[in-house]
Amino acid sequence: MRADRLLRIVFRLQGRGVVSASTLARDLEVSTRTIRRDMEALSAAGVPVYSVRGGAGGWALVQDYRTSLTGLSTTEALAMIVGRPGGVLADLGLEDPGEDLILKLLAAIAPAAREHAEHARQRIHIDPGRYWEPVTNNPSPLLPRLLEAIWDDKIIELRYGSRPRATRTAPYGLVRKGTRWYLVGRAHDRLRMYRVSRIHDLAVTREAFSRPDDFDLATHWQQAQEEYARRFASYRIRLRLRGESLTRAGWAYARSKSFTEPDRDGWVDAEFDTEDYDSAVCLVGSLGGDVVVVSPDHLRRELISNAARQIELNQATPPEP
């Protein structure tokens, strides 16, 4: 991403003094022509870069330069942290800052901006693993209000699932996995996980809470996922599937380990943890015809044998008139 590259250029110039265009190009894996264009963009944005001629020449920053930009908006801080994957900011009711983010990324050099970015990192986490699932255009309308409460460390009262009473919760952060959002919060003296789509009622109170200094949202999410997986038996299978089979596999998303992007023919490589052999047979049997069992081999052989027996039986038994 261009914004990321510009920020890395500024960091390198601050740390090394004069740096040649060829060195920057090699470090950032771009051409020297791209580096020249980047320098022009930085200069136009007000960053005091200048060229140094001669054998030891290159590019440099004015000595002791520190960007005067010290503030990031909520949108800009979140965009820095989540990497702006499609739909995340829109779900939260925020506008994408677009290319203007390049200038504010440079503000990460300033302590105030670093603190604001860290504030965002502790409250929004995007799980880089993903489910292959249809993209929904109907995110929960409660997400913007949840973000506001999380950003300001305000107690919320929510009604979840079929529970008749509201629960007072200290909202620590929001996590997005695939197209699903989850709320991590403390209620009744324990950390809990809520699927945002199952939250029916939400009230944001004026009461503030104190976040634990040692709480890290990304670390907690990873540990929670690992603990959830340990509760169940494990039986992993690898499949190639396409077409309607992709959506039929929906119930197994929570146990999926990986999905590739569809190739040009629509095939996806997927790994599932189906808990046991019988569950694996049920899953594959429910996915229709566009499925290939890659592994394990004994499951593949068993399914081929079952299919052969079904064909034999159906060919031998005439249909009723």
Side-chain angles (χ1 to χ4, degrees):
M1 292 177 61
R2 186 178 185 227
D4 173 71
R5 190 172 67 247
L6 292 177
L7 184 60
R8 291 164 66 189
I9 287 173
V10 173
F11 282 147
R12 279 166 170 74
L13 296 182
Q14 281 191 324
R16 303 180 188 175
V18 179
V19 185
S20 69
S22 59
T23 298
L24 288 171
R26 183 178 65 253
D27 290 348
L28 302 176
E29 299 181 347
V30 295
S31 67
T32 55
R33 179 177 297 180
T34 296
I35 293 298
R36 286 196 295 272
R37 287 198 298 264
D38 287 345
M39 291 302 178
E40 292 173 359
L42 288 170
S43 179
V47 179
V49 294
Y50 64 95
S51 62
V52 179
R53 300 184 181 279
W59 290 93
L61 278 168
V62 170
Q63 189 173 6
D64 298 327
Y65 164 74
R66 291 294 184 273
T67 176
S68 60
L69 298 173
T70 58
L72 290 172
S73 70
T74 299
T75 300
E76 291 159 345
L78 288 176
M80 287 178 63
I81 299 307
V82 304
R84 298 166 62 195
V88 175
L89 295 177
D91 285 358
L92 297 171
L94 302 172
E95 294 183 3
D96 192 317
E99 289 302 312
D100 288 344
L101 180 61
I102 294 173
L103 299 180
K104 291 299 182 69
L105 276 171
L106 301 178
I109 302 168
R114 284 198 299 270
E115 292 174 5
H116 204 48
E118 178 63 15
H119 187 91
R121 192 188 72 81
Q122 286 295 345
R123 286 158 177 79
I124 301 292
H125 174 62
I126 307 302
D127 189 331
R130 64 185 296 271
Y131 312 131
W132 197 98
E133 56 185 333
V135 176
T136 175
N137 293 319
N138 299 303
S140 170
L142 299 178
L143 275 167
R145 292 169 61 198
L146 277 172
L147 175 64
E148 179 183 355
I150 290 168
W151 198 262
D152 296 333
D153 295 336
K154 297 295 186 181
I155 294 288
I156 61 175
E157 296 179 351
L158 60 85
R159 190 165 66 85
Y160 186 71
S162 59
R163 297 173 189 172
R165 295 183 179 180
T167 302
R168 283 174 56 84
T169 302
Y172 285 5
L174 285 167
V175 178
R176 192 170 98 155
K177 174 82 170 181
T179 60
R180 297 174 183 171
W181 284 93
Y182 298 87
L183 168 68
V184 178
R186 180 172 291 277
H188 304 300
D189 295 325
R190 58 176 292 191
L191 284 173
R192 299 173 182 267
M193 202 86 69
Y194 305 90
R195 186 185 294 185
V196 173
S197 62
R198 298 191 64 198
I199 298 176
H200 303 305
D201 296 318
L202 174 68
V204 181
T205 73
R206 296 183 179 181
E207 182 181 349
F209 67 92
S210 298
R211 297 168 60 89
D213 292 336
D214 59 351
F215 178 80
D216 182 82
L217 180 60
T219 300
H220 173 77
W221 172 259
Q222 180 64 31
Q223 292 173 346
Q225 296 288 12
E226 293 172 356
E227 181 180 350
Y228 176 79
R230 285 195 296 268
R231 295 177 187 173
F232 302 93
S234 179
Y235 185 86
R236 298 190 180 189
I237 63 174
R238 292 179 57 208
L239 307 176
R240 278 182 58 78
L241 60 166
R242 69 173 179 179
E244 292 184 358
S245 297
L246 294 173
T247 54
R248 288 176 181 172
W251 67 268
Y253 284 148
R255 299 283 288 177
S256 67
K257 295 300 178 182
S258 64
F259 268 97
T260 64
E261 295 291 342
D263 63 19
R264 60 185 177 183
D265 295 321
W267 287 95
V268 164
D269 293 313
E271 181 179 348
F272 292 95
D273 189 340
T274 57
E275 300 186 30
D276 55 37
Y277 175 80
D278 290 338
S279 297
V281 173
C282 289
L283 171 62
V284 176
S286 70
L287 297 183
D290 288 333
V291 179
V292 175
V293 177
V294 178
S295 67
D297 287 339
H298 66 270
L299 174 64
R300 180 187 178 96
R301 291 193 298 269
E302 179 69 16
L303 290 170
I304 292 173
S305 176
N306 289 342
R309 286 198 298 271
Q310 288 181 343
I311 292 173
E312 182 180 354
L313 286 172
N314 281 275
Q315 288 178 337
T317 305
E320 294 183 0

